[in-house]
Amino acid sequence: MRTALVLLSFLVAGPVAAEPEVRILLREGRSPLEVSGDALRVWVDARPLPAARKVRLRFLDPRRIEVRGRERRIGARVRIEARGPLSVADGLYLGTIEVDAETASVVNGLPIETYLLGIVGSEMPASWPRAALEAQAVAARTYALQSRLRMRSSGRGFDLHDSVLSQVYKGAADIAPSVVAAVEATSGQVLAYEHQPAESLFHSTCGGRTRSAEEVFGNEVPYLRERRCPWCRESSRHRWSLELPLKRTEDLLRAAGLLEGKLRRVEGDEEGIELRAGRRRTVQPRQLRAALGPSQLYSTDFEASTRRGRVRLRGRGFGHQVGMCQWGARGMAREGRDFREILAHYYPGVPIKRAW
């Protein structure tokens, strides 16, 4: 509650708080972990260990962990810092790494502006126009703040995932100067609706029009409504098609629990997909997308038909199509629109506020 009240105060009155820190879940699991860095410092339950360049951790059970070959019974966390980036598995991260023996979680803690350096260039090509990168920075900063509020009230121990479950975060391995410039130019700026961070959803390609939150998710959000978008035509996912053998489609649908019997036809559109097998069944496009895989069925905005033993799907867009279209932001930026104009188009009626 206190976090929400502090955020509320500076969205209303201006920058009155320091830049917050966010906690990113990098992994969960009991496989061994190695962390290295320059002048590595390690604390086990707030007790410091001698400085080194590398530390190996091995999970033994929910109450025990082995650190540098020594078994330790701990109830809190291992905290790791370094003079510069930390190498964790195949990634490179700024800030701190915390390891919880009980949950077997590995969390990266760092200031939100530093976090954005690993987000903007992962969600959008760093070579895109600066205004598009700036719009992405504001949207990503807003999303991170909203997630931080929600997750801290739930007591999960982290604020965001490092994947598409939240935002794609690649740490500090490859930060482009254009990304640094975009984050710095928009520092502390967020989208605010009724004194709270807005639901700043974004996606790759809308295919000509964004969709409302109510249409896609079933809940109405006043500023997440259908918007015309003629700027994303250069995306390879603006229009797309997919063909699958009927038998392969049957196998995927059966594995997803959507089918009984032998599949004969798949027909329908975004209003509903009819599966004709032993009996007819209608499923939602999102169910079919989940079954076939979002990496090949790019959105839920498609038409399905069956001909000569093959299922044909023709659609538009990539992603959920709600909020900012990233390819559309690119197109608007190439026309000379600034980041404020881009955000105002995709989130109508939502002002930009300085949070710090």
Side-chain angles (χ1 to χ4, degrees):
M1 178 60 73
R2 182 178 182 278
T3 304
L5 290 175
V6 170
L7 183 59
L8 174 62
S9 69
F10 64 61
L11 288 179
V12 174
V16 298
E19 174 190 350
E21 181 177 279
V22 289
R23 296 168 55 80
I24 319 303
L25 180 67
L26 302 183
R27 63 165 243 194
E28 288 179 302
R30 310 196 72 81
S31 57
L33 177 72
E34 183 174 285
V35 181
S36 60
D38 185 24
L40 204 68
R41 291 174 292 170
V42 182
W43 291 263
V44 179
D45 280 350
R47 295 189 297 272
L49 301 183
R53 285 195 54 83
K54 184 181 296 184
V55 60
R56 292 184 177 88
L57 300 97
R58 191 164 66 93
F59 298 95
L60 303 176
D61 61 41
R63 305 301 298 174
R64 295 183 303 142
I65 190 169
E66 185 181 275
V67 182
R68 289 181 180 164
R70 180 179 173 185
E71 181 181 324
R72 301 175 185 272
R73 294 182 178 275
I74 65 174
R77 291 183 173 87
V78 177
R79 180 180 174 90
I80 306 171
E81 295 180 357
R83 187 171 56 210
L86 289 157
S87 177
V88 183
D90 296 327
L92 198 65
Y93 300 94
L94 299 172
T96 65
I97 295 294
E98 289 190 5
V99 182
D100 189 312
E102 186 172 356
T103 63
S105 62
V106 179
V107 173
N108 179 203
L110 71 174
I112 192 169
E113 299 292 344
T114 307
Y115 163 69
L116 289 174
L117 298 177
I119 285 288
V120 175
S122 302
E123 288 285 358
M124 180 179 284
S127 59
W128 279 14
R130 177 164 174 172
L133 293 170
E134 290 173 347
Q136 181 66 66
V138 175
R141 184 182 295 110
T142 306
Y143 184 96
L145 273 179
Q146 189 197 58
S147 181
R148 182 177 186 269
L149 283 172
R150 183 178 66 254
M151 296 296 282
R152 295 210 172 184
S153 65
S154 71
R156 290 291 302 277
F158 61 91
D159 304 321
L160 299 123
H161 294 85
D162 66 348
S163 67
V164 292
L165 292 174
S166 296
Q167 304 182 106
V168 178
Y169 173 57
K170 295 184 179 178
D174 186 19
I175 300 174
S178 59
V179 168
V180 176
V183 172
E184 290 182 346
T186 64
S187 178
Q189 298 183 57
V190 300
L191 293 157
Y193 183 75
E194 296 184 346
H195 313 311
Q196 291 289 330
E199 291 188 52
S200 54
L201 300 181
F202 50 86
H203 59 278
S204 169
T205 309
C206 71
R209 68 170 178 91
T210 68
R211 304 173 71 185
S212 70
E214 185 175 19
E215 180 185 4
V216 175
F217 303 119
N219 59 302
E220 182 182 0
V221 180
Y223 49 86
L224 294 179
R225 58 179 187 261
E226 182 177 325
R227 302 291 284 171
R228 177 176 170 272
C229 177
W231 300 285
C232 63
R233 293 184 180 276
E234 291 188 19
S235 169
S236 61
R237 306 292 186 253
H238 183 263
R239 293 290 185 273
W240 51 264
S241 62
L242 171 68
E243 286 195 12
L244 291 172
L246 192 61
K247 182 61 171 67
R248 174 60 177 161
T249 308
E250 177 184 304
D251 292 341
L252 291 171
L253 291 172
R254 182 172 288 109
L258 297 178
L259 187 71
E260 294 179 4
K262 182 178 177 60
L263 183 64
R264 294 183 173 83
R265 297 188 69 81
V266 179
E267 304 284 346
D269 55 26
E270 62 186 75
E271 298 297 323
I273 306 297
E274 186 178 85
L275 307 178
R276 299 184 186 180
R279 59 185 178 86
R280 295 185 181 185
R281 179 183 181 184
T282 300
V283 299
Q284 296 300 312
R286 60 180 173 78
Q287 293 176 288
L288 189 64
R289 187 180 185 217
L292 301 187
S295 62
Q296 63 175 354
L297 189 53
Y298 299 119
S299 75
T300 58
D301 194 351
F302 60 85
E303 295 180 350
S305 62
T306 306
R307 185 178 180 185
R308 296 177 182 176
R310 299 186 71 82
V311 176
R312 299 183 176 184
L313 303 120
R314 299 182 185 277
R316 65 180 183 88
F318 187 14
H320 51 61
Q321 300 169 289
V322 178
M324 186 177 73
C325 170
Q326 292 168 313
W327 274 87
R330 172 184 179 271
M332 291 184 73
R334 293 182 69 179
E335 286 187 359
R337 316 289 183 92
D338 65 22
F339 78 95
R340 293 180 178 274
E341 292 175 288
I342 294 170
L343 294 171
H345 178 75
Y346 292 110
Y347 310 101
V350 181
I352 298 173
K353 301 284 188 180
R354 272 199 85 86
W356 53 84

